[in-house]
Amino acid sequence: MTLQTWHSPLLAATAAALCVLGLVLLAPQPRAAMHVALRLGLASLVWVGLWTLAMPLVGVLIERRSPDNFGPWGILAINLMPALGSWLPAAILVRATRASRRQRGGFATLCALFWAAGLVLPGIGQGGDWAAQSQGLLACCALLAVMLGLLSRAGRIGVH
Amino acid sequence: MTAPKLAWLAIAYVLVMAARPVVADEAKWVRIGLEWSVQLPPPQFVDPIRVKQQMAAGCGGSSIKFGDTAVMRGWPSDITWPLEIRKLAASAALVDEADLAYSLLDQVLDRTDLDAVQRGIIENQLILTALQFNDPVEASRLLSLYGKPTTLPAPLTSDRLFWEAILNGKAASPKQWQSELLPKLDAAMDADPSSFQVRAWRVIGWLEAEGWNDMACGDAISVFSKTLLDMSDAGACPLMISHFAHASDLHFGTEVHFNSMASQAIWRQFATALLAVIAKDHQTVARLRQTLSEMSGNNVLGQTECAEQMAIEIRLLEQIE
């Protein structure tokens, strides 16, 4: 399976959901794990939904400026703007509804990464080209997904 | 590995990736999924600025001349000839027997009052006469005899280089064309940029050398189009195009559509299409672009990728006003 195949959003989301389900079933407390997994899935949906809505707004900001005026950093920053802007509400949502009981180490992080792979990954990569900026954006999204997972855990981040 | 380490790794990766330059001239924004990216203009291998300049220049004002010898191209402008020499040279040009023509020009060369330039001119006239009488053996002998002394003026040297190339070209392999004859033609053009025949034969020579075999399609189109544009510097004239088409058909023996060498046929079609663009012959351009598109779908030709790229190039050039 190539990365391009993942650009079928429904297939990617289904695969992500199956991976998350597998993680939940392997968890010592599947019920609580399902709770966390679903909240992370919802947060990821909010993230991608708001990101999609923000894209035309970014387009309005940049359409009159020639790409020649932006270096590679500028182009990456332009793409990080909606990514970060839409991630913040998702992070607040996840933090506000965090689990009352602590989850084991990497579960939430892995869940968040799977959801990001299923929901965010199909939207980036420029149709399979994976230019340098896309790779940079992918790395940032992976980082944001990890942070989303950490935020979903109870207590202070990094304590457990 | 802990999360902070992962984060630092990710940040380092982003820094490295983003530092790579990707933006080119005339790029534009395009949205693909959740990303705004830069769409680069399609690569163009034919110089559009040069094409535009030639289209604007039209049919006049070029320093390139149509003539078999430097003298016929108006060089040198200030030379004078004694009446007797003019009579002998004129007679040599008019007679129908090769030996008599050679003898008349030999009489001129026997004179002691010729300066170096005049002698060079008459020698070249003698070589041309041999070629006109379809006597390549004599022409080759004369070329070897006279050589290319360093004192010979550049336009006369250009003619000799040109004749050497076309005489040796008849039995030359593509490799020989590439390694020996094309450099000779390039040197001839450098020696006398005003010679149209040299420019036209550089195009034919490139086709003979099968230049497309040694490089990628885009590079081959770039090199070939430069050679073609060197020729069409002569002016966007129907006369220029017919000169080239005639010389090309004469040389290759058949009309392009019936050429048995299919990959060469593609390049000849492209040459005619590019010249038609410069001459603003829109109907011919559209027809040839269509032909190239059809050729690109024909795998038998072995140059499908090139034909496709050529059709794209021609379409881009058609947008020039």
Side-chain angles (χ1 to χ4, degrees):
Chain A
M1 183 182 281
T2 64
L3 274 175
Q4 224 165 348
T5 316
W6 284 84
H7 281 261
S8 166
L10 189 61
L11 178 65
T14 307
L18 287 173
C19 289
V20 170
L21 186 62
L23 273 184
V24 167
L25 292 175
L26 288 172
Q29 295 172 303
R31 196 187 175 97
M34 178 63 92
H35 195 217
V36 173
L38 285 177
R39 278 189 300 107
L40 279 169
L42 180 67
S44 299
L45 268 177
V46 168
W47 182 17
V48 171
L50 290 176
W51 190 347
T52 307
L53 289 174
M55 286 299 282
L57 298 174
V58 175
V60 171
L61 287 175
I62 61 171
E63 67 182 353
R64 289 190 182 175
R65 296 166 191 267
S66 164
D68 297 337
N69 296 333
F70 294 86
W73 289 107
I75 295 167
L76 182 62
I78 281 165
N79 281 307
L80 278 177
M81 233 171 14
L84 271 172
S86 53
W87 178 84
L88 280 172
I92 290 167
L93 176 72
V94 156
R95 192 66 189 152
T97 60
R98 66 186 179 275
S100 55
R101 281 180 292 180
R102 293 178 180 183
Q103 294 297 317
R104 286 181 65 183
F107 173 78
T109 307
L110 262 179
C111 260
L113 278 171
F114 277 133
W115 283 126
L119 299 171
V120 177
L121 188 60
I124 60 180
Q126 300 178 22
D129 270 355
W130 289 104
Q133 279 83 357
S134 300
Q135 295 177 44
L137 189 61
L138 174 67
C140 291
C141 287
L143 189 65
L144 291 175
V146 167
M147 288 175 71
L148 211 57
L150 293 174
L151 283 170
S152 77
R153 292 156 61 183
R156 291 182 190 172
I157 298 165
V159 170
H160 34 235
Chain B
M1 192 175 277
T2 59
K5 280 182 183 170
L6 274 173
W8 280 115
L9 270 178
I11 289 166
Y13 181 75
V14 171
L15 292 176
V16 170
M17 282 298 147
R20 291 162 54 187
V22 292
V23 179
D25 291 340
E26 296 173 36
K28 64 177 181 179
W29 293 111
V30 61
R31 183 188 161 180
I32 304 170
L34 293 173
E35 246 187 293
W36 283 103
S37 59
V38 177
Q39 191 179 52
L40 302 173
Q44 197 165 1
F45 299 103
V46 181
D47 183 355
I49 296 168
R50 217 171 149 196
V51 170
K52 194 173 182 175
Q53 283 170 345
Q54 291 191 3
M55 287 168 78
C59 202
S62 170
S63 60
I64 297 164
K65 304 282 188 291
F66 300 83
D68 292 335
T69 62
V71 176
M72 292 180 192
R73 297 192 294 273
W75 178 94
S77 56
D78 56 348
I79 197 164
T80 53
W81 297 91
L83 183 61
E84 193 182 341
I85 292 178
R86 290 170 65 178
K87 279 182 179 174
L88 284 169
S91 300
L94 290 170
V95 295
D96 291 331
E97 289 175 34
D99 289 338
L100 182 55
Y102 300 156
S103 158
L104 289 165
L105 289 171
D106 278 337
Q107 284 179 45
V108 178
L109 286 172
D110 287 341
R111 291 173 64 109
T112 53
D113 57 345
L114 294 176
D115 63 24
V117 173
Q118 287 173 324
R119 185 165 295 280
I121 289 171
I122 299 299
E123 286 170 356
N124 276 17
Q125 191 61 35
L126 191 51
I127 298 164
L128 177 69
T129 305
L131 287 168
Q132 286 174 334
F133 279 109
N134 198 21
D135 188 355
V137 176
E138 179 63 7
S140 296
R141 190 189 70 80
L142 292 170
L143 277 167
S144 300
L145 178 69
Y146 300 141
K148 294 182 290 292
T150 49
T151 51
L152 194 70
L156 301 180
T157 307
S158 170
D159 286 345
R160 290 186 193 181
L161 283 164
F162 171 68
W163 291 324
E164 275 178 8
I166 60 166
L167 276 170
N168 294 327
K170 286 181 179 169
S173 65
K175 204 172 176 180
Q176 284 171 310
W177 268 101
Q178 189 73 52
S179 61
E180 297 168 28
L181 305 183
L182 276 180
K184 248 185 225 298
L185 290 171
D186 288 343
M189 192 172 97
D190 289 342
D192 185 4
S194 78
S195 173
F196 177 80
Q197 61 188 1
V198 171
R199 291 167 183 255
W201 271 84
R202 284 173 77 237
V203 177
I204 291 171
W206 195 88
L207 293 170
E208 281 284 14
E210 298 174 13
W212 56 86
N213 284 333
D214 300 329
M215 51 185 103
C217 244
D219 294 336
I221 289 173
S222 175
V223 171
F224 186 52
S225 65
K226 274 179 196 156
T227 312
L228 269 167
L229 291 172
D230 284 343
M231 181 184 74
S232 55
D233 267 339
C237 310
L239 179 64
M240 178 270 292
I241 296 172
S242 62
H243 260 308
F244 170 73
H246 181 61
S248 168
D249 288 345
L250 267 180
H251 180 77
F252 292 110
T254 52
E255 292 214 359
V256 65
H257 297 291
F258 307 106
N259 197 308
S260 58
M261 194 176 169
S263 42
Q264 191 187 69
I266 288 179
W267 290 92
R268 290 176 67 189
Q269 293 279 20
F270 174 66
T272 313
L274 180 54
L275 295 177
V277 166
I278 292 163
K280 298 179 190 172
D281 183 349
H282 302 300
Q283 280 186 337
T284 305
V285 174
R287 179 173 56 78
L288 289 173
R289 179 170 44 75
Q290 181 63 30
T291 307
L292 285 168
S293 297
E294 286 164 9
M295 282 173 155
S296 71
N298 184 355
N299 282 322
V300 179
L301 299 178
Q303 291 277 304
T304 54
E305 189 195 333
C306 288
E308 193 177 344
Q309 185 61 46
M310 288 172 192
I312 292 169
E313 292 291 321
I314 296 298
R315 197 180 64 233
L316 289 171
L317 294 172
E318 276 181 293
Q319 293 163 12
I320 297 175
E321 291 174 359

